[in-house]
Amino acid sequence: MNDLSTLTVHELQAGFRRGDFTPLEALESLENAISSRDPQIGAYLSRDFETARAAAASADILLPLGGVPIAIKDAINVQGEPCRCASKMLENFISPYDATVISKLRAAGAIPFGRLNMDEFAMGSSTENSAFQKTRNPWDTGRIPGGSSGGSAASVASRTAFASLGSDTGGSIRQPAALCGVVGLKPSYGRVSRYGLVAFASSLDQIGPLARTTRDCASLMNILAGKDSRDSTSLDLPAEDFTAALGRDLRGVKLGIPKEYFVDGMDTRVRSRVEAAIAHCESQGAELIEVSLPHTAYAVGVYYIIATAEASANLARFDGVRYGHRADHPRDLLDHYMRSREEGFGSEVKRRIILGTYVLSSGYYDAYYLRAQKVRTLIRRDFEQAFEKVDALVCPTSPDLAFRIGERTDDPLRMYLADIFTIATNLAGICGLSVPCGFVEENGRSLPVGMQFLGRALDETRLLGIADAYERSCGLDFARALPK
Ligand code: GLN
């Protein structure tokens, strides 16, 4: 049988419908791909082929995603499967229920399959904070895949998943998508239900798709989006067809270039690839307009106050009583709490809990948390003003190429700065998507560069249309430009 693992979701479905192959054969291709390639990549923490085979054997290919396996970040609950958030704290946790996105995928005929590695509790930018394993960048296995959804991006890039789900609190879908050369969309806040996503920072978290093409992300969004009575922050909007603007071109599209996103200190090769891609957009008829987002410089600081504050509250539930690892033979209750948390959490998670507890503590709340919320409003207004003049913004996704494993683990500040171009999107609640836009050759290896399109809140359909127009005209076949 042919190797089907290189197909896009769209091609897979067309093949099912033509009768070229069956969902079971597609799954078998994936199993073979995983057995041969995942040992070098480490994208999967676990996978249950038995259950997936049963689902594939009875899949209804006429459903919107009938028979399509979708790999899942370890932070999203799938009933009966481990959901460990790559943490020792949840080492033995088995999900008692499906997240809403998983129920929706199942109802659409898709097969949620496998658990993808991530930074512990989604805190990180390299997937090195996983308590269980490293994930390697398929383009150069000496490098990180990005994070925190590193497994979600590395699996799609290494053809061990057709598409995956990730979560994005400050860039965790877009940055790994950029560093692995795939497409990743962070939907607007409220677009997708977070019910069943283990919470990191509840005012920032969103679930979204990673895939090899913009079209595949749009098809997945048609299933993932929508109001959910179990998540009061999900918005009640009329059903939308996110594929509606695909197939257009860039003529007349107004693209804003935020000048604060082209700064000294970023990798000049990344910058030149992104600039060339923007020039390409202009050659295709887009109008380029320089805009300013003056509060950008504060985004990383604001994020690391708000995200850690929310994380410290959300992670209080992992105390060995309600959830999580329980220390042996505690002397008393306090010892029980302290040792359970000490043993269960890794060092980055502890750092965030301590930071978050500090910024919320009495006497410091006004100076840090409250002030950060005010600056968050200014950041949101920057975007609102820019969107008065343009349809979307275009900028780099990450200031750097994928870095070497171990290079930044001792320097948290440097790691945090890698999020500089992705974080403001979450603070503002708008949508953002990363697409591959070129490669840099280094030591005989090609390393992908990602470019970000950012759109108004709830403007995903237009954003996907713009990204798709870029993708089809840029001369880089996303679906085939995969590592050897
Ligand atoms: N890298 C950022 C952090 O460490 C973003 C993570 C995310 O989006 N989950 O917090």
Side-chain angles (χ1 to χ4, degrees):
M1 193 187 59
N2 289 339
D3 176 17
L4 307 176
S5 69
T6 55
L7 299 184
T8 64
V9 170
H10 192 66
E11 291 163 343
L12 203 59
Q13 292 185 284
F16 292 157
R17 286 176 192 168
R18 280 195 305 265
D20 294 350
F21 44 76
T22 64
L24 201 53
E25 287 168 335
L27 188 73
E28 279 164 11
S29 270
L30 210 55
E31 289 188 38
N32 293 336
I34 292 170
S35 324
S36 67
R37 287 194 286 277
D38 198 56
Q40 289 86 52
I41 303 298
Y44 283 88
L45 289 170
S46 65
R47 60 260 172 165
D48 177 357
F49 289 126
E50 289 300 307
T51 311
R53 270 187 225 132
S58 62
D60 177 353
I61 59 161
L62 296 176
L63 289 171
L65 286 175
V68 178
I70 309 282
I72 310 294
K73 185 176 184 178
D74 199 32
I76 300 171
N77 281 275
V78 174
Q79 188 173 16
E81 297 213 12
C83 182
R84 304 189 289 180
C85 286
S87 178
K88 279 211 177 78
M89 185 53 100
L90 288 173
E91 192 155 14
N92 301 314
F93 185 76
I94 303 290
S95 299
Y97 70 101
D98 276 341
T100 297
V101 288
I102 300 299
S103 325
K104 284 177 173 250
L105 284 178
R106 288 194 207 279
I111 305 170
F113 164 77
R115 309 295 304 166
L116 295 168
N117 199 22
M118 56 185 281
D119 285 299
E120 184 178 2
F121 286 104
M123 297 173 184
S125 309
S126 67
T127 311
E128 291 166 294
N129 295 335
S130 167
F132 303 121
Q133 69 195 36
K134 299 262 178 291
T135 296
R136 294 168 181 279
N137 191 309
W139 294 91
D140 177 352
T141 52
R143 295 175 189 261
I144 57 102
S148 65
S149 311
S152 306
S155 58
V156 173
S158 63
R159 291 156 287 146
T160 59
F162 298 103
S164 62
L165 294 189
S167 64
D168 191 313
T169 305
S172 277
I173 290 174
R174 292 161 288 153
Q175 184 256 18
L179 302 189
C180 289
V182 302
V183 183
L185 169 71
K186 183 206 90 77
S188 312
Y189 189 73
R191 198 42 121 165
V192 176
S193 166
R194 295 177 296 111
Y195 178 74
L197 168 70
V198 178
F200 165 7
S202 305
S203 76
L204 302 162
D205 299 339
Q206 270 289 290
I207 295 172
L210 294 94
R212 293 201 272 266
T213 65
T214 305
R215 168 177 291 276
D216 284 356
C217 284
S219 307
L220 275 161
M221 275 305 289
N222 277 356
I223 308 306
L224 300 174
K227 172 74 185 162
D228 175 12
S229 59
R230 289 173 161 143
D231 174 2
S232 59
T233 64
S234 67
L235 297 167
D236 198 359
L237 300 161
E240 190 165 327
D241 178 7
F242 293 95
T243 66
L246 302 181
R248 298 191 187 157
D249 60 34
L250 288 169
R251 269 176 299 172
V253 172
K254 291 194 173 108
L255 290 178
I257 307 188
K259 62 174 194 228
E260 292 81 2
Y261 283 55
F262 293 82
V263 289
D264 289 344
M266 65 184 290
D267 189 308
T268 51
R269 298 162 302 174
V270 170
R271 180 176 181 152
S272 74
R273 295 303 176 283
V274 174
E275 283 171 347
I278 293 175
H280 167 79
C281 294
E282 190 176 27
S283 77
Q284 296 297 303
E287 185 186 340
L288 306 183
I289 300 166
E290 187 180 90
V291 297
S292 174
L293 302 168
H295 296 93
T296 299
Y298 305 109
V300 173
V302 166
Y303 171 85
Y304 278 94
I305 292 173
I306 293 176
T308 58
E310 293 183 13
S312 73
N314 276 327
L315 270 56
R317 75 192 66 174
F318 302 108
D319 58 6
V321 177
R322 285 172 294 173
Y323 290 99
H325 168 78
R326 183 172 293 188
D328 284 338
H329 312 300
R331 281 195 314 279
D332 52 29
L333 186 63
L334 190 62
D335 184 51
H336 164 93
Y337 284 140
M338 287 176 59
R339 276 203 297 117
S340 296
R341 286 168 70 83
E342 162 62 28
E343 293 166 10
F345 289 133
S347 58
E348 182 60 29
V349 175
K350 285 177 192 156
R351 178 166 23 245
R352 306 271 181 122
I353 292 173
I354 292 168
L355 271 171
T357 307
Y358 179 79
V359 299
L360 289 176
S361 57
S362 78
Y364 294 101
Y365 180 90
D366 290 2
Y368 294 108
Y369 185 73
L370 207 60
R371 189 167 298 177
Q373 292 290 10
K374 290 179 182 164
V375 181
R376 180 178 188 171
T377 303
L378 298 176
I379 290 169
R380 185 163 45 76
R381 285 196 194 139
D382 283 354
F383 282 106
E384 283 165 6
Q385 279 162 12
F387 286 128
E388 283 170 12
K389 293 186 276 227
V390 299
D391 299 314
L393 301 172
V394 58
C395 59
T397 309
S398 163
D400 298 305
L401 299 165
F403 44 89
R404 295 198 171 281
I405 291 172
E407 193 180 299
R408 297 195 185 170
T409 31
D410 295 334
D411 190 348
L413 202 56
R414 203 152 156 239
M415 193 77 96
Y416 296 174
L417 287 172
D419 304 329
I420 188 153
F421 299 146
T422 46
I423 269 175
T425 317
N426 303 70
L427 290 167
I430 61 175
C431 53
L433 170 143
S434 181
V435 292
C437 75
F439 291 90
V440 169
E441 303 300 321
E442 197 169 88
N443 304 328
R445 302 251 175 205
S446 297
L447 298 173
V449 176
M451 176 165 81
Q452 223 180 175
F453 291 105
L454 304 177
R456 288 180 187 79
L458 305 179
D459 208 16
E460 284 87 350
T461 301
R462 187 198 322 232
L463 191 73
L464 287 156
I466 293 171
D468 171 65
Y470 169 74
E471 176 181 336
R472 283 178 301 100
S473 68
C474 70
L476 189 75
D477 182 354
F478 289 9
R480 306 287 160 244
L482 296 168
K484 298 280 170 302

